[in-house]
Amino acid sequence: MKDFIIPWDDSDKGTPAKTGAPVTLTVDGAAVTVPEGTSVMRAAYEAGITVPKLCATDNVEAFGSCRLCVVEIEGRRGTPASCTTPVTEGMVVHTQSSKVRRIRKGVMELYISDHPLDCLTCSANGDCELQDMAGAVGLRDVRYEYGQNHFDPTGDGALSLADAKRRADDTDLPGNFRYMEKDESNPYFTYDPSKCIVCSRCVRACEEVQGTFALTIEGRGFDSRVSAGTPMDDFLSSDCVSCGACVQACPTATLQEKSVAELGTPTRAVVTTCAYCGVGCSFKAEMNGDQLVRMTPYKNGKANRGHSCVKGRFAYGYMEHPDRILSPMIRESIDEPWREVSWDEALGFAAKRLKSLQKNYGRRSLGVITSSRCTNEETFLVQKLARGVFMNNNTDTCARVCHSPTGYGLGQTFGTSAGTQDFDSVEHTDVVIVIGANPTDGHPVFASRLKKRLRQGAKLIVIDPRRTDLVKSPHIEAAHHLPLRPGTNVAVVTALAHTIVTEGLADEDYIRERCDWDEYLAYSEFVSDPRHSPEAVEELTGVPAEELRAAARTFAGEKNGAIYYGLGVTEHSQGSTTVMGIANLAMLTGNVGRKGVGVNPLRGQNNVQGSCDMGSFPHELPGYRHVKNPEVREIFEKAWGVTIDPEPGLRIPNMLDAAVDGTFKGLYCQGEDILQSDPDTKHVAAGLAAMECVIVHDLFLNETANYAHVFLPGSSFLEKDGTFTNAERRINMVRKVMAPKAGYADWEVTQLLAQAMGADWNYSHPREIMAEIAATTPSFAGVTYEKINELGSIQWPCNDAAPEGTPMMHIDGFVRGKGRLMITEYVATDEKTGPRFPLLLTTGRILSQYNVGAQTRRTANSTWHDQDLLEIHPHDAEVRGVKEGDFVKLASRSGETTLRATLTDRVSPGVVYTTFHHPDTQANVITTDFSDWATNCPEYKVTAVQVSPSNGPTDWQEEYAEQAAQSRRILPAAE
């Protein structure tokens, strides 16, 4: 398997890049020109000269502690550290004078004198900067005799840990109070203090890159050591979030991945894209043969800039989990056990059933569900299967149950269904609104970049029912937290706009130039009505009026204001209205069309944006073009050689309703678990049970597979080629790292099913599918694999007008022409609290788990979160007799479940909160079928509930568990 050749310089240049006026200097006789502010070390690198270093790395600011990078500069006294010395015009630098070489060798001797000499058996052998630098400075001997040190547990002169083990049986050994045992508490990496050189790179990475401030240097002088929290803490119990930044920064084996210690130093690497959240981080999959050793964040990844989170960095073990299904399976009915069969038999069985249903019930009796976890190319083929083989528009996707209001709301106001900025834009913002999103848990790499900007002085406004970590955490604090009552987003956003308009804070010059002035006048009249004032809506929203007014003034009063939002905006009955209200705020304040501003949806899954782009909705063909338009249908009819139905198809809720009614009979579901992720679990189960052919295409027997007749094993993101499109419209390459463990990539399985149904599909590689996408979809017209490889990534639209993509939208004008300010009338949800159900439940995610947990639950991430918990305010808990850790029953009008309670003031009285990662809880048995008025996006975030003490699982949970166990029986291969 040929590795992807990295065309960009991926080496460590020692210190971060700078911008400024050009400065020319001479390094070892070579002239080099660099921006003002650049360090001498980096300038030397640009001249092709490597200066030895240990404490310096280009993802954190220079520190100047190791003294290995000293140089001589003509006209200056001493030997300054090249990492902390900025260049000046005409500077003459010598990096290899005899004086410098002597100093470096002496420094290395000191380091080695307090370091175990286990190099040949060390897990960092061959990947150790200390080892490399010893060679670079020419160290051949250490003059210092054995003395006080941190590596010999015996205190008896052992020079290595192996030597110490041989002496360990001697009970008269003096011992060494400075020696500390290796900390193996974290499931993914170890901390070995005996190998620490106290370079502080890990501490600085935790502070500057991640922004958690979990690590520090304790002690002074020779007693200095890295510490994770208090002396009572280890890495697992500390504030460490296991992002891996410290491990990546460590120049020795002090912080080391356990996988490297077990599998050896990787020998090759393939650059690919993470398959978790919508940030779309680039990673190097580092391999030994076809064995994945580790995932390391790729420093040239434009979404993540060399950073990562615990999921992308470490939680890839699900690919090897014993639960993974690698053989196709079929069964006649859902009460039978599964039977393993060949691919040919499984596909033939599925095709025969589907064709029979088409014949008996009509072409609209079948449908598909595309996946936001699969590639653009795979999603394109699944919707093509519906339209070109099933001959209907019954296609839907999980994107509808999360961000479909984004598509509708931004389409109405701006003219395009996506965010306006790239993630780099946050580095230029002055004030940020984060509404209905919890980036530190859901989009942690973006959150780290946001927190860095906040530490530099930007202001933050958080609009969320919970007190998320962004409200206050180390070295950041929101200027305003508006803890609104769930379901009142529209009222709060409109009240912000009321304040901006009535207090004369609107940017009328921008509005006159960029927006429809007549519509603004109508909107201004609407929003200025006293009924939209903060005082008028205070009782409704629970947000103090003066705090809301202050937040509006803060946002309107800064030069660059950006808005980031998540599912706490879209998953409401007025999700689309709130999105339009957010767009209104941006236009009112002139905050669209330049760096540091914009409206930015934080997409929940890795390819939510792409699944929308590819035409997964029942009313839209790829590129957000309505299926009713004959000129759009003609494009695809010519390309596919079929007639496309002009009638929009069924959304998932409509499919389930039709199944219960007996008119919808067959479903192909790729990479989605609608039984766990969609609302009103009982209704989903009833719909699936009524179907005669359910095909589940996934890695595991998920909850939906309980009702399946055919199971087609899927491929992980490391087993295929393709592209993902992240939240900033960035199209990133997904590259095959290893062969598909089940034999086929997902796009091949869909093609095989289409062929079994009689379709003449003959793609040989996903690049051919992308070529078809480009030929039929204007926003992708200029996209090719060759161009993505050349540029690293592309942000659509990419066409003749923007041949290298569009990092920022609406610069000179909105896509629709003039921006449209929309009337945003608040309409209360039909889901009401009352005596039976007096509390409001809202849901969300936690850092260590992802979506329905199918992947992360099968990794060591469950160390941090092995069950869903119900957050409840101490007051609400007290009046119900609930204590910390108690089992409680959570009941709504739809159903009931049990889970353990945790008492916290993160939520306000009257509000409870839980996650939905674990099927044992099945939180969506509680949620209702209320949905967004424009898109049918479910109202996950507002459910009236009651909480009461319980002594264990509900009857429904026990029945569900029994049914799931029966459904997952697999006959032995011999049978």
Side-chain angles (χ1 to χ4, degrees):
M1 188 182 302
K2 185 177 180 181
D3 290 359
F4 171 62
I5 305 301
I6 301 172
W8 310 281
D9 186 0
D10 192 40
S11 55
D12 190 335
K13 299 176 178 62
T15 60
K18 302 295 182 181
T19 58
V23 174
T24 300
L25 67 157
T26 302
V27 182
D28 290 347
V32 61
T33 300
V34 295
E36 185 180 10
T38 301
S39 69
V40 169
M41 175 182 285
R42 190 176 181 104
Y45 181 91
E46 299 296 345
I49 298 165
T50 301
V51 178
K53 59 182 174 62
L54 282 173
C55 74
T57 182
D58 60 9
N59 69 335
V60 295
E61 294 298 326
F63 194 55
S65 71
C66 76
R67 315 312 294 176
L68 200 64
C69 72
V70 295
V71 296
E72 285 195 283
I73 300 174
E74 292 186 9
R76 294 194 187 184
R77 298 172 56 190
T79 51
S82 62
C83 65
T84 57
T85 303
V87 299
T88 59
E89 184 66 35
M91 177 183 279
V92 179
V93 179
H94 300 283
T95 71
Q96 291 295 333
S97 67
S98 58
K99 181 178 181 180
V100 163
R101 291 199 304 270
R102 185 172 63 254
I103 291 173
R104 289 177 185 158
K105 189 176 291 188
V107 169
M108 279 303 303
E109 282 189 272
L110 289 169
Y111 276 117
I112 297 301
S113 69
D114 190 22
H115 198 81
L117 302 181
D118 292 286
C119 292
L120 292 180
T121 56
C122 178
S123 59
N125 186 21
D127 189 26
C128 173
E129 292 181 45
L130 185 67
Q131 192 179 58
D132 295 342
M133 292 304 104
V137 304
L139 184 67
R140 300 294 176 259
D141 190 21
V142 177
R143 293 168 294 172
Y144 300 105
E145 296 182 356
Y146 178 89
Q148 295 185 36
N149 62 73
H150 297 85
F151 63 82
D152 175 16
T154 68
D156 192 45
L159 297 179
S160 69
L161 294 177
D163 186 14
K165 288 179 181 178
R166 284 192 296 271
R167 302 171 186 235
D169 291 336
D170 188 344
T171 57
D172 294 329
L173 294 176
N176 181 1
F177 72 92
R178 287 192 172 89
Y179 175 79
M180 295 170 59
E181 292 284 347
K182 182 188 294 187
D183 180 352
E184 302 190 64
S185 59
N186 189 285
Y188 294 121
F189 61 85
T190 59
Y191 166 56
D192 187 349
S194 71
K195 296 179 179 179
C196 181
I197 61 172
V198 201
C199 64
S200 295
R201 276 165 59 166
C202 59
V203 176
R204 289 180 288 142
C206 189
E207 294 175 359
E208 297 178 31
V209 179
Q210 169 56 30
T212 296
F213 293 81
L215 304 182
T216 189
I217 301 295
E218 68 174 8
R220 301 184 67 179
F222 193 63
D223 293 326
S224 300
R225 275 294 171 266
V226 173
S227 174
T230 71
M232 303 300 293
D233 282 316
D234 54 23
F235 267 80
L236 185 61
S237 66
S238 73
D239 290 338
C240 171
V241 293
S242 299
C243 68
C246 60
V247 180
Q248 186 178 5
C250 182
T252 68
T254 305
L255 289 158
Q256 181 74 74
E257 299 96 336
K258 290 182 177 179
S259 59
V260 173
E262 178 185 352
L263 301 172
T265 305
T267 57
R268 67 184 183 95
V270 181
V271 177
T272 190
T273 304
C274 179
Y276 279 116
C277 78
V279 173
C281 296
S282 295
F283 276 86
K284 289 194 296 183
E286 300 191 15
M287 313 287 293
N288 273 333
D290 66 349
Q291 175 70 60
L292 179 61
V293 177
R294 65 182 173 191
M295 298 287 287
T296 55
Y298 181 46
K299 67 186 300 181
N300 288 311
K302 294 178 182 179
N304 58 318
R305 301 294 182 187
H307 190 35
S308 61
C309 79
V310 63
K311 294 186 284 289
R313 182 72 156 89
F314 296 116
Y316 51 80
Y318 65 88
M319 295 181 304
E320 306 281 353
H321 196 277
D323 285 353
R324 185 170 175 186
I325 304 297
L326 299 178
S327 298
M329 300 189 298
I330 61 175
R331 57 185 175 184
E332 291 292 335
S333 64
I334 62 174
D335 57 354
E336 295 180 357
W338 289 102
R339 179 167 60 89
E340 293 185 355
V341 295
S342 68
W343 277 102
D344 286 345
E345 184 175 352
L347 292 164
F349 178 90
K352 181 179 179 181
R353 279 211 169 186
L354 293 174
K355 287 191 283 189
S356 175
L357 294 173
Q358 273 184 318
K359 180 180 178 181
N360 294 332
Y361 297 98
R363 59 185 173 87
R364 291 178 179 167
S365 64
L366 307 179
V368 302
I369 298 175
T370 73
S371 175
S372 294
R373 292 187 289 136
C374 290
T375 65
N376 287 316
E377 295 78 3
E378 289 161 347
T379 302
F380 183 84
L381 288 192
V382 173
Q383 63 85 32
K384 181 179 178 179
L385 179 72
R387 293 180 164 119
V389 180
F390 295 174
M391 306 307 295
N392 63 54
N393 289 304
N394 293 339
T395 172
D396 206 356
T397 179
C398 91
R400 186 189 52 75
V401 303
C402 57
H403 266 286
S404 52
T406 288
Y408 183 85
L410 296 185
Q412 291 293 310
T413 51
F414 297 161
T416 189
S417 303
T420 62
Q421 315 293 116
D422 59 13
F423 286 138
D424 287 348
S425 176
V426 77
E427 298 173 5
H428 303 276
T429 193
D430 299 309
V431 59
V432 177
I433 291 177
V434 175
I435 174 170
N438 185 10
T440 55
D441 284 23
H443 305 84
V445 171
F446 167 73
S448 292
R449 300 184 71 177
L450 171 60
K451 289 191 290 184
K452 185 173 185 177
R453 182 59 182 163
L454 297 177
R455 293 195 300 275
Q456 293 169 345
K459 298 175 182 177
L460 175 66
I461 301 163
V462 175
I463 306 175
D464 199 287
R466 294 175 73 234
R467 190 185 70 249
T468 62
D469 287 345
L470 279 181
V471 173
K472 187 174 184 180
S473 56
H475 298 273
I476 65 163
E477 184 171 4
H480 308 282
H481 176 212
L482 310 183
L484 77 173
R485 185 170 290 112
T488 61
N489 286 339
V490 170
V492 168
V493 169
T494 304
L496 289 169
H498 172 94
T499 303
I500 291 169
V501 171
T502 58
E503 294 188 8
L505 302 175
D507 187 343
E508 290 198 0
D509 291 340
Y510 179 94
I511 297 168
R512 286 181 182 276
E513 178 185 352
R514 299 288 302 274
C515 303
D516 186 305
W517 183 252
D518 290 337
E519 288 189 342
Y520 167 70
L521 292 177
Y523 175 76
S524 176
E525 182 180 358
F526 160 78
V527 83
S528 298
D529 191 309
R531 65 193 174 91
H532 298 306
S533 70
E535 290 75 16
V537 300
E538 179 173 347
E539 184 176 354
L540 169 69
T541 65
V543 178
E546 191 50 47
E547 186 69 11
L548 199 153
R549 283 191 179 274
R553 293 166 187 149
T554 297
F555 185 70
E558 297 292 335
K559 179 182 178 182
N560 291 334
I563 305 175
Y564 294 86
Y565 70 89
L567 304 186
V569 162
T570 56
E571 291 178 345
H572 287 272
S573 61
Q574 281 200 285
S576 293
T577 310
T578 308
V579 172
M580 291 186 286
I582 287 170
N584 290 344
L585 284 179
M587 290 185 285
L588 281 175
T589 53
N591 278 312
V592 182
R594 63 182 185 277
K595 290 182 178 180
V597 301
V599 175
N600 306 280
L602 295 173
R603 306 286 189 167
Q605 297 195 60
N606 53 299
N607 204 34
V608 165
Q609 182 68 61
S611 67
C612 298
D613 300 340
M614 292 299 104
S616 295
F617 295 133
H619 64 291
E620 289 177 335
L621 286 157
Y624 304 97
R625 292 164 293 169
H626 204 286
V627 73
K628 70 181 179 183
N629 296 327
E631 67 276 12
V632 176
R633 294 200 308 276
E634 183 181 6
I635 295 171
F636 292 92
E637 289 172 341
K638 286 182 177 179
W640 297 348
V642 299
T643 299
I644 294 177
D645 191 341
E647 291 295 321
L650 301 177
R651 295 167 172 165
I652 293 172
N654 308 128
M655 294 181 195
L656 297 170
D657 290 341
V660 173
D661 292 341
T663 58
F664 187 88
K665 291 294 183 179
L667 177 67
Y668 172 52
C669 183
Q670 182 186 74
E672 287 300 327
D673 190 0
I674 61 171
L675 187 59
Q676 187 177 347
S677 65
D678 280 35
D680 198 353
T681 302
K682 292 180 180 179
H683 180 58
V684 177
L688 290 169
M691 298 180 197
E692 295 182 21
C693 183
V694 175
I695 304 168
V696 168
H697 181 183
D698 214 314
L699 299 175
F700 306 102
L701 280 174
N702 59 25
E703 305 308 304
T704 303
N706 296 348
Y707 295 91
H709 306 84
V710 181
F711 184 88
L712 302 177
S715 55
S716 76
F717 75 109
L718 294 174
E719 299 165 16
K720 54 187 163 189
D721 290 305
T723 58
F724 293 149
T725 306
N726 75 348
E728 47 173 2
R729 298 170 284 103
R730 187 180 302 282
I731 306 165
N732 273 316
M733 289 300 304
V734 179
R735 297 183 177 91
K736 184 188 289 187
V737 172
M738 60 185 70
K741 294 185 181 297
Y744 294 107
D746 292 332
W747 67 269
E748 294 177 294
V749 174
T750 304
Q751 174 166 272
L752 289 169
L753 179 59
Q755 290 172 341
M757 293 283 291
D760 184 22
W761 292 10
N762 294 289
Y763 303 103
S764 62
H765 191 274
R767 67 166 50 89
E768 298 170 7
I769 307 172
M770 178 55 75
E772 186 173 311
I773 295 167
T776 55
T777 309
S779 56
F780 277 67
V783 178
T784 65
Y785 278 25
E786 291 73 23
K787 184 178 286 187
I788 299 174
N789 285 335
E790 177 187 351
L791 300 176
S793 61
I794 298 172
Q795 289 174 266
W796 68 256
C798 176
N799 46 36
D800 290 341
E804 294 190 356
T806 310
M808 191 158 45
M809 299 283 285
H810 318 299
I811 294 176
D812 298 318
F814 290 99
V815 170
R816 70 179 306 275
K818 293 288 189 178
R820 183 183 181 193
L821 286 105
M822 304 288 292
I823 302 298
T824 53
E825 191 71 66
Y826 170 72
V827 178
T829 175
D830 289 334
E831 178 69 357
K832 302 289 198 301
T833 56
R836 285 184 61 208
F837 304 106
L839 304 174
L840 284 175
L841 168 71
T842 189
T843 60
R845 297 183 179 181
I846 199 164
L847 171 64
S848 59
Q849 296 290 348
Y850 171 71
N851 206 32
V852 296
Q855 295 150 273
T856 45
R857 280 187 286 107
R858 293 176 170 93
T859 71
N861 277 29
S862 291
T863 302
W864 291 280
H865 186 81
D866 61 356
Q867 60 182 312
D868 293 319
L869 299 173
L870 183 74
E871 292 186 4
I872 184 169
H873 191 275
H875 171 76
D876 291 330
E878 183 179 4
V879 298
R880 288 165 175 80
V882 173
K883 297 181 176 60
E884 178 69 28
D886 282 358
F887 261 118
V888 294
K889 182 170 74 172
L890 181 66
S892 74
R893 296 177 179 91
S894 296
E896 58 186 36
T897 188
T898 60
L899 66 171
R900 293 191 184 277
T902 183
L903 278 57
T904 176
D905 62 358
R906 278 181 176 266
V907 292
S908 301
V911 176
V912 292
Y913 168 89
T914 190
T915 53
F916 54 93
H917 303 303
H918 293 270
D920 293 344
T921 305
Q922 279 287 10
N924 279 326
V925 75
I926 300 300
T927 54
T928 69
D929 59 0
F930 294 124
S931 63
D932 175 53
W933 61 271
T935 65
N936 266 153
C937 181
E939 190 171 44
Y940 291 107
K941 304 304 182 185
V942 185
T943 306
V945 297
Q946 178 59 286
V947 175
S948 58
S950 174
N951 58 4
T954 64
D955 292 343
W956 179 85
Q957 284 175 292
E958 291 178 344
E959 291 167 5
Y960 180 90
E962 182 179 352
Q963 188 268 342
Q966 288 292 311
S967 177
R968 294 185 176 127
R969 291 171 297 153
I970 302 174
L971 290 175
E975 298 182 38

